[in-house]
Amino acid sequence: MNQAPKIGLVSLGCPKALVDSERIMTTLRAQGYSFSRDYAGADIVLVNTCGFLDSAKQESLEAIGEALNENGRVIVTGCLGVEEGLIRETHPSVLAITGPHQYESVVSAVHDHLPPVPNRFVDLVPESGLKLTPRHYAYLKISEGCNNRCSFCIIPQIRGDLVSRPAAGILGEAEGLIRSGVKELLVISQDTSAYGVDIKYAESKYRGRDVKAKFYDLAKELGQLGAWTRLHYVYPYPHVDQVIELMAEGLVLPYLDIPFQHASPNVLKSMRRPANQEKTLDRIKKWRDICPDLAIRSNFIVGYPGETEEDFEFLLDWLEEAEIDRAGCFKYEPVTGAPANELDGIVPDEVKEERFAQLMEVAQDVSFHRLSQKVGRTIDVIVDDVRPEENRVIARSKWDAPEIDGQVIVSKADGIKIGDIVSVTVTDNDEYDLFAEPAAH
Ligand code: SF4
């Protein structure tokens, strides 16, 4: 099985450098890297240096030397990185050197010398997200591994059972990200609603208070940090209701990414999906009563072994009734080592294709209908890209995650910058996107 590539990190210097180190770690962790506490267990060592005083320079050079002796594969970043000549003269064998506050360059140097192992059956970050995340949003990984045993999935075999991070560590990291300019936190894990189960919801001290490692408590704390907080990979358990209340209060974005994968009870049972006994349609209705603005994004698998025409029709009806705002779809394909490979009832490829096209058509109609209800509203959007030549910016609403959902295309957008959160009035929509203009003041 492919193990996650491991990185050792030595962080020297001031709190700013520490924020950079956190940002680097957050990005790499979200991309599937793991961290080693010692040199021996690391595939590569990053040294985040300080170059403010001569003594700090000396300390940094010594730290690079130690990492080279102990491990041999070293990337240097941070303030001393501006003195590349000095570093190369002292330590010619370092693999790469980048300067301060250049987390993007460090991460790409890591990609060059220790490539990530992209695997769409395992990764949490969308493939396109492996390119560097812009500074205004960041993926925040709250746990590793998974306690579920879905029959089509090999993640528990690769990553093991759920291992949750203490709440204080996650909150400290989130704070650091916000200090470094992040305005939107994308919370990821294999099963976000299961957060803390493995450590019995243990408390940890954060800003002098005890915070439980529990989904609700963590969401609430993150929501109070002042950035947009978006929750991915949640399952429809009863305790999620409470988190919807946080959305209604505006603390957490009114957005839930729930990979339902199917709706037919027979298929869900065969897939061994978490929360497959829950009455999800009732649950979704309840959530929308609590928070009418809630957007649900989901993914579905068509052509799973044993999926009958009735199962598929059931799924299409369910999708319409649940009004899933954003739906992605995969045609089932076996993953080496997954228990589902033993199942009978293989669905022919042409049937998979047909079901895929049908599902996407229904999903598109639902999406169009949901988006048309937003026309005329004034909403906040976060800006991902600017197109000055067209006087437009490409932004996202609270209902859209980066890379996987739609966009809000804002015209008459003079002076708006990447990372700005601005108020716009929605003027039109198509199947996936909204069109808007800055709101009148
Ligand atoms: S919830 Fe299921 S699909 Fe997701 S990681 Fe766990 S076992 Fe795999």
Side-chain angles (χ1 to χ4, degrees):
M1 282 300 156
N2 47 354
Q3 292 290 328
K6 274 203 167 155
I7 296 174
L9 181 69
V10 180
S11 194
L12 306 162
C14 64
K16 267 196 169 158
L18 196 61
V19 169
D20 279 355
S21 291
E22 275 171 354
R23 183 74 212 253
I24 294 164
M25 281 178 78
T26 310
T27 306
L28 292 171
R29 190 185 280 121
Q31 293 177 347
Y33 289 89
S34 64
F35 291 87
S36 166
R37 287 182 184 279
D38 51 38
Y39 291 120
D43 298 309
I44 216 165
V45 177
L46 283 181
V47 184
N48 191 1
T49 59
C50 180
F52 187 54
L53 299 169
D54 280 353
S55 57
K57 277 186 197 173
Q58 199 45 43
E59 194 193 342
S60 294
L61 288 171
E62 280 166 16
I64 298 167
E66 184 180 311
L68 281 170
N69 283 338
E70 298 286 333
N71 182 281
R73 289 169 52 75
V74 174
I75 292 174
V76 177
T77 184
C79 293
L80 192 63
V82 293
E83 297 198 43
E84 184 164 354
L86 173 69
I87 300 172
R88 291 248 174 250
E89 207 174 284
T90 326
H91 300 298
S93 61
V94 294
L95 297 172
I97 299 172
T98 64
H101 319 307
Q102 294 179 351
Y103 90 93
E104 295 94 340
S105 330
V106 190
V107 173
S108 51
V110 173
H111 288 184
D112 289 346
H113 295 281
L114 183 65
V117 192
N119 179 343
R120 72 182 180 85
F121 298 112
V122 172
D123 290 337
L124 289 167
V125 174
E127 223 170 303
S128 42
L130 263 184
K131 71 178 182 338
L132 291 165
T133 318
R135 279 176 185 265
H136 60 279
Y137 63 83
Y139 295 94
L140 183 64
K141 198 170 191 179
I142 61 169
S143 60
E144 295 284 350
C146 183
N147 282 349
N148 303 312
R149 294 292 181 265
C150 302
S151 55
F152 54 82
C153 176
I154 51 165
I155 286 171
Q157 294 168 41
I158 296 181
R159 300 271 154 90
D161 282 342
L162 179 73
V163 180
S164 300
R165 301 174 61 199
I170 298 169
L171 291 166
E173 185 169 316
E175 258 193 273
L177 291 168
I178 293 168
R179 271 201 303 276
S180 75
V182 165
K183 294 191 177 156
E184 178 178 357
L185 301 166
L186 305 149
V187 175
I188 54 170
S189 73
Q190 305 296 347
D191 179 355
T192 297
S193 34
Y195 171 63
V197 171
D198 55 310
I199 49 174
K200 302 197 169 49
Y201 311 118
E203 292 180 337
S204 51
K205 275 257 182 287
Y206 169 69
R207 294 183 163 252
R209 288 178 289 115
D210 290 319
V211 181
K212 274 193 190 151
K214 212 167 181 184
F215 180 41
Y216 172 82
D217 301 64
L218 183 71
K220 187 171 182 184
E221 293 284 345
L222 286 170
Q224 286 168 349
L225 295 178
W228 285 12
T229 301
R230 191 180 293 286
L231 303 172
H232 289 276
Y233 313 115
V234 173
Y235 288 98
Y237 291 107
H239 72 278
V240 174
D241 297 3
Q242 263 190 309
V243 174
I244 308 293
E245 282 166 22
L246 297 177
M247 296 181 182
E249 288 165 31
L251 269 186
V252 174
L253 293 185
Y255 177 96
L256 266 187
D257 178 358
I258 309 180
F260 284 110
Q261 309 300 17
H262 215 283
S264 153
N266 297 335
V267 179
L268 286 174
K269 194 161 170 244
S270 167
M271 286 179 165
R272 295 194 236 136
R273 293 296 286 160
N276 74 44
Q277 303 300 323
E278 301 295 335
K279 295 196 170 72
T280 44
L281 275 181
D282 293 346
R283 176 130 274 125
I284 290 172
K285 282 186 184 132
K286 183 172 176 195
W287 288 347
R288 290 210 162 109
D289 285 343
I290 302 171
C291 179
D293 239 3
L294 176 69
I296 300 178
R297 110 96 37 199
S298 191
N299 190 68
F300 299 93
I301 295 174
V302 292
Y304 185 77
E307 183 195 53
T308 61
E309 200 49 44
E310 292 73 52
D311 292 323
F312 180 64
E313 290 298 329
F314 187 98
L315 169 59
L316 291 186
D317 291 345
W318 184 93
L319 191 70
E320 274 183 317
E321 201 171 340
E323 294 193 90
I324 299 299
D325 299 75
R326 306 288 192 185
C329 183
F330 286 125
K331 286 163 270 182
Y332 173 77
E333 51 183 291
V335 180
T336 313
N341 301 348
E342 312 299 322
L343 293 171
D344 296 332
I346 302 294
V347 177
D349 282 350
E350 55 283 8
V351 176
K352 282 187 202 165
E353 289 291 344
E354 214 174 285
R355 290 181 184 169
F356 175 84
Q358 259 182 290
L359 188 140
M360 288 317 286
E361 207 180 303
V362 170
Q364 196 169 314
D365 287 349
V366 173
S367 170
F368 183 88
H369 172 70
R370 298 282 296 168
L371 289 173
S372 65
Q373 294 170 340
K374 321 279 190 212
V375 175
R377 286 182 61 178
T378 295
I379 57 171
D380 282 349
V381 294
I382 188 161
V383 179
D384 285 339
D385 198 7
V386 293
R387 307 266 163 86
E389 64 291 350
E390 299 162 16
N391 198 14
R392 302 206 293 190
V393 298
I394 309 299
R396 278 179 297 108
S397 71
K398 294 181 178 176
W399 309 300
D400 302 307
E403 315 284 355
I404 51 173
D405 294 330
Q407 298 173 325
V408 183
I409 295 131
V410 184
S411 48
K412 304 183 187 162
D414 311 274
I416 301 178
K417 300 186 296 304
I418 291 180
D420 283 354
I421 294 179
V422 290
S423 176
V424 300
T425 301
V426 181
T427 54
D428 202 0
N429 71 289
D430 63 17
E431 290 84 356
Y432 299 115
D433 298 326
L434 292 173
F435 299 88
E437 291 178 1
H441 294 292

